[in-house]
Amino acid sequence: MQRRCFHSESSFVCCVWLYVAGGAGLYCNRTWDGWLCWDDTPAGTVTWQNCPNYFPDFDSTEKATKICSESGQWFRHPDTNRTWSNYTLCNFHTTGKLKMAYILYYMAIVGHALSIASLLISLAIFFYFRNLSCQRITLHKNLFVSYVLNSALTLIYLIAVVNNPDVVGRNPVGCKVLHFFHMYMLGCNYFWMLCEGIYLHTLIVVAVFAEEQHLHWYYLLGWGFPLVPASIHAVARKKYFDDNCWMSVETHLLYVVHGPIMAALLVNLFFLLNIVRVLVTKLRDTHRAESNMYMKAVRATLILVPLLGIQFVIFPWRPENRLAGEVYDYIMHILMHYQGLLVATIFCFFNGEVQAALKRQWIQYKAQWGQRRRDHCSMRSTSYTATSITEVPAFMYHHDCNSEHLNGRHTSEDSELVALKTGETYA
Amino acid sequence: MALDCTSLTKLTLVLCVAACGFPPVSGCSDAYGRAIPPLSSCSDAYGRAISDFCVTKFTLDMKALDQSLWCSWSDTFQPYEELTNCTYSVAHKMHCFWPNQQIDELFIRLHRDYFHDCALTGRLLRDPPIRILGPFIGVPVLVTLLMTALVVWSGKCCQGIV
């Protein structure tokens, strides 16, 4: 019997425990069946425990069962007349689950790839059209860069570590370093969203007359501060839960990173709701134009923050039902891995000024190309177009950055803003 | 006669192993090379043999190991396996069945002495207790809130300053 004790740690522990004195009453004796240790079980009951993870196709969330008969003997299989434990459920659904795991994996890869593509396009747009530049766009650029880096790191992590069991088995230091940077970039994402919220809050509620804010503090909060939770997580993980490549999500130590992120999201939501409150109450009656203008600036951020945060709210509650669980997994994966695409779309592609700038550029390009064609066809006598650039109607502008220019200019329009300032400023 | 065989066997075994590790199994023979018929019962002789030879080494090994590591499989695996192999070899040489009642009693005694308070779940990774986990989570959250307040305050205080 002792030879069987050297399969693994669990068998060793079981063998150890088997020799400790037992209790009284009619029960099936504790036993080691070769794979798992079974406790003393009262006669006439069925005991269960989670399946072991010795084999690749065994799902350790499924249950293995063992029957203790009325006479105090373990169930014997009728064919072989030997004691038998039921491990059939452990690999029963495995092929289906494996298929779904692969689908989710490829979904995640596609999501991050699309995010990187759309974010790079947005960054290109922001850098190309210099007249769009203002402080808020600078914050957008930093946010996009952090999302690009996060998606890139996640892609590397998924392809090199998650899909690669031998790397996980070898447990090199590199994969833990990668995990650290992954946690850092995750923090950067959410803290840059917080910076956006704080900036809007400072602009609208706190310091309405600020010509230009100093962005140093925002850079510190967005790039520098996330090092703190990531480092604390690394230290705690190394000391208390040092599993292979730190892959396990079964630990509460992950809250060292997710806790500050949730705090940042809540604070952000609070700031944005406060902005809405100020805009609605202070400017509603007399300053409808400015109210609409500020509202448009806030709207994009206000849509994004709950969308980014909702995954943390519904994450703990995975339904037990198989079908509902699958739907839950799909929704969670979409929310988590397509965020970059969402951010790029809402902050850039749906931005009115960006759309206007792109339209202008397109019309200019078309006119130039048309002009070149006319020149090429040597028809210089008549001019077909009076103007080459069409004026874009003013109502298409969303005043994303214009609010800042308004703040800087000391014209008669400031009277409304003076009224706002002499009212309460949010403390 | 039986006693002579026993003591001779023991002496041969000890000398052999001391000289050359585990010699190849050849049966129970005395110092003169005469084959000795196998013992019909292996109770006393075998028990004494493994107690004097195998268990002594195991006890020394476990004493050399820090007591806090007794429940650690990776550390106790080596002496435990040596003990098992030793009892197996002795049984094989003495033509005894293996495992047998002496073995069971021996292991029950050893497990009670050394492993009685090992946790059933072994050394599976688990979270630290709440008094450690709490500060680890609470401190970053507090620092986050402080940092946010700092950034908001810096925006407020610098209004009007270009």
Side-chain angles (χ1 to χ4, degrees), chain A residues 351-362:
Chain A
N351 185 330
E353 282 189 346
V354 168
Q355 287 176 345
L358 283 172
K359 267 198 173 54
R360 272 202 308 274
Q361 188 70 20
W362 174 244

Side-chain angles (χ1 to χ4, degrees), chain A residues 3 6 9 12-13 15-17 19 191 206-207 217 220-221 225 232 240 243 251-253 255 260 271 421, chain B residues 73 77 80 85 108 111 115 119-120 123 125 127 132-133 136-137 140 143-144 147 150 152 154 156 159:
Chain A
R3 282 229 176 256
F6 298 111
E9 179 163 352
F12 171 72
V13 167
C15 285
V16 160
W17 168 72
Y19 283 107
F191 277 94
V206 174
W217 288 107
L220 188 67
L221 184 63
F225 180 72
I232 296 180
Y240 295 107
D243 60 320
T251 169
H252 286 105
L253 284 175
Y255 281 113
F271 278 164
K421 168 118 177 80
Chain B
W73 180 61
F77 162 73
Y80 196 93
N85 287 342
I108 286 175
H111 282 194
F115 307 126
L120 182 60
R123 288 182 314 113
L125 288 170
D127 283 337
I132 295 176
L133 197 60
F136 263 118
I137 296 178
V143 177
T144 303
M147 191 72 189
L150 187 66
V152 172
S154 78
K156 190 173 163 190
Q159 57 177 302

Side-chain angles (χ1 to χ4, degrees), chain A residues 1-3 5-10 12-17 19-21 37 39 191 194 198 201-202 206-214 217-218 220-221 225 228-229 232 235-236 239-244 250-253 255-256 259-261 263-264 267 271 421 425-427, chain B residues 70-74 76-78 80-82 84-85 88 98-99 103-105 107-109 111-112 115-129 132-133 135-137 139-145 147-162:
Chain A
M1 198 194 310
Q2 280 72 26
R3 282 229 176 256
C5 289
F6 298 111
H7 284 298
S8 66
E9 179 163 352
S10 47
F12 171 72
V13 167
C14 184
C15 285
V16 160
W17 168 72
Y19 283 107
V20 179
C37 210
D39 203 344
F191 277 94
L194 178 64
I198 294 177
H201 185 261
T202 307
V206 174
V208 183
F209 270 142
E211 172 100 0
E212 287 257 307
Q213 295 181 45
H214 292 294
W217 288 107
Y218 294 102
L220 188 67
L221 184 63
F225 180 72
V228 172
I232 296 180
V235 165
K239 219 162 129 52
Y240 295 107
F241 205 99
D242 196 10
D243 60 320
N244 283 13
E250 306 287 327
T251 169
H252 286 105
L253 284 175
Y255 281 113
V256 174
I261 286 177
V267 165
F271 278 164
K421 168 118 177 80
T425 51
Y426 179 74
Chain B
W70 280 358
C71 283
S72 156
W73 180 61
S74 47
T76 52
F77 162 73
Q78 199 65 26
Y80 196 93
E81 174 144 45
E82 277 177 18
T84 310
N85 287 342
Y88 179 76
W98 191 93
I103 296 281
D104 278 355
E105 285 168 5
F107 275 96
I108 286 175
R109 183 168 60 82
H111 282 194
R112 282 216 190 101
F115 307 126
H116 58 276
D117 61 352
C118 292
L120 182 60
T121 49
R123 288 182 314 113
L124 287 177
L125 288 170
R126 56 177 77 103
D127 283 337
I132 295 176
L133 197 60
F136 263 118
I137 296 178
V139 167
V141 173
L142 276 172
V143 177
T144 303
L145 294 171
M147 191 72 189
T148 309
L150 187 66
V151 176
V152 172
W153 172 82
S154 78
K156 190 173 163 190
C157 87
C158 296
Q159 57 177 302
I161 301 169
V162 175

